[in-house]
Amino acid sequence: MSVRKEQLSENVVVICGDNREILPTLGRFDACVTDPPYGIGESAKKNNTRGTLAKPNDYGTDAWDAEPADPVVLDWIRSNTLWQIIFGGNYFALPATSCWLVWDKVNGDNDFADCELAWTNLPKAVRRIHWMWNGMLRKGKEPRFHLTQKPLGVMSWCLDQLPAGVETVVDPYCGSGTTGVACVGKGLGFTGVEREVHHFDTSCRRIAEELRRPRLFAEPAARPVQEALL
Ligand SMILES: C[S@@+](CC[C@H](N)C(=O)[O-])C[C@H]1O[C@@H](n2cnc3c(N)ncnc32)[C@H](O)[C@@H]1O
């Protein structure tokens, strides 16, 4: 398939294409923070009845949600990034870990899952965030552009869980670009890959808007330096 690439700033890029073709052409990253398709067809069933999208039916194709993340991509992530946060990790074959990130959606009694789980390889204990995401009752009231869009506050919190010194983040399942917006907000480099042109365009627009926003920080956090032993 043809590949489009938008270099949005010196260290922020979004690529439109199939991640199985794109990832082998990229280098290594400090961290992967991603939200792959879980393969449960969720987008086609319940979420699209909720009426919270920015515009009705403005979500591109939902065909991607029929298949879970390709194990080849998960292997690439495990081999080419130091730290990993992978949403839907409970649907994929990943090793035992001490640290799951738990997003409690505070969504009351209904047939939606109470929480979403992100598998990590972080050297810490389980962490949890409460962030209401229940139809129109959503903390933050962010406009919705993607059927399985993650809240910006949840993705920013995920980045806060990464060890100090992370400077570059990759999201091979970029969707509407929420991870990228969160990275820009924290002064981190970001590389996103998204196969659907519609979502790629949304990602570029949202991340470019975030890059234009005046920010309070000047530099990313300094990488800790190992002192020489005398
Ligand atoms: C769960 S959604 C990500 C939503 C995102 N976290 C957000 O907040 O908008 C997964 C995305 O991965 C994309 N995708 C699925 N398979 C892909 C592939 N092989 N290469 C690139 N993107 C893919 C889908 O088009 C979909 O937009």
Side-chain angles (χ1 to χ4, degrees):
M1 86 183 268
S2 66
V3 172
R4 274 171 65 197
K5 181 173 172 177
E6 286 286 340
Q7 187 79 44
L8 297 170
S9 77
E10 196 187 336
N11 62 354
V12 176
V13 64
V14 186
I15 302 166
C16 186
D18 192 310
N19 54 25
R20 290 165 290 196
E21 292 166 20
I22 307 291
L23 294 175
T25 70
L26 305 178
R28 290 182 61 83
F29 297 86
D30 295 333
C32 173
V33 179
T34 194
D35 175 27
Y38 303 173
I40 53 177
E42 194 68 356
S43 71
K45 285 189 252 150
K46 290 183 282 185
N47 283 332
N48 59 0
T49 62
R50 297 191 134 195
T52 53
L53 291 158
K55 285 186 264 165
N57 298 325
D58 189 14
Y59 46 75
T61 172
D62 53 31
W64 53 267
D65 204 28
E67 296 286 330
D70 190 327
V72 167
V73 176
L74 297 176
D75 283 349
W76 181 92
I77 292 170
R78 304 266 297 130
S79 308
N80 291 281
T81 65
L82 185 55
W83 303 114
Q84 295 128 25
I85 298 177
I86 303 177
F87 269 92
N90 44 324
Y91 293 102
F92 311 131
L94 291 163
T97 181
S98 67
C99 179
W100 289 85
L101 298 184
V102 180
W103 166 30
D104 184 337
K105 299 163 137 179
V106 199
N107 59 3
D109 281 339
N110 54 42
D111 60 341
F112 285 88
D114 293 339
C115 300
E116 288 200 29
L117 302 179
W119 177 93
T120 85
N121 66 344
L122 304 179
K124 60 207 277 188
V126 171
R127 295 284 178 261
R128 178 178 58 179
I129 185 171
H130 294 97
W131 193 280
M132 182 183 277
W133 202 249
N134 181 17
M136 296 303 284
L137 298 174
R138 285 176 292 130
K139 184 172 170 181
K141 299 281 176 207
E142 293 160 47
R144 234 179 111 205
F145 304 104
H146 192 294
L147 279 171
T148 56
Q149 186 173 326
K150 290 283 179 286
L152 181 57
V154 170
M155 298 317 288
S156 295
W157 170 79
C158 287
L159 295 177
D160 291 342
Q161 307 309 311
L162 293 169
V166 167
E167 291 177 355
T168 56
V169 175
V170 65
D171 182 353
Y173 295 96
C174 185
S176 64
T178 313
T179 309
V181 175
C183 285
V184 169
K186 292 187 180 294
L188 298 171
F190 176 75
T191 298
V193 184
E194 170 57 46
R195 190 171 54 184
E196 302 294 335
V197 175
H198 177 86
H199 299 318
F200 165 78
D201 288 340
T202 304
S203 274
C204 293
R205 181 176 50 72
R206 290 181 75 204
I207 297 170
E209 274 168 17
E210 183 65 19
L211 281 164
R212 282 194 296 273
R213 233 166 40 85
R215 48 205 66 260
L216 299 173
F217 61 81
E219 298 286 334
R223 188 182 279 277
V225 177
Q226 174 84 52
E227 297 286 337
L229 293 175
L230 298 177

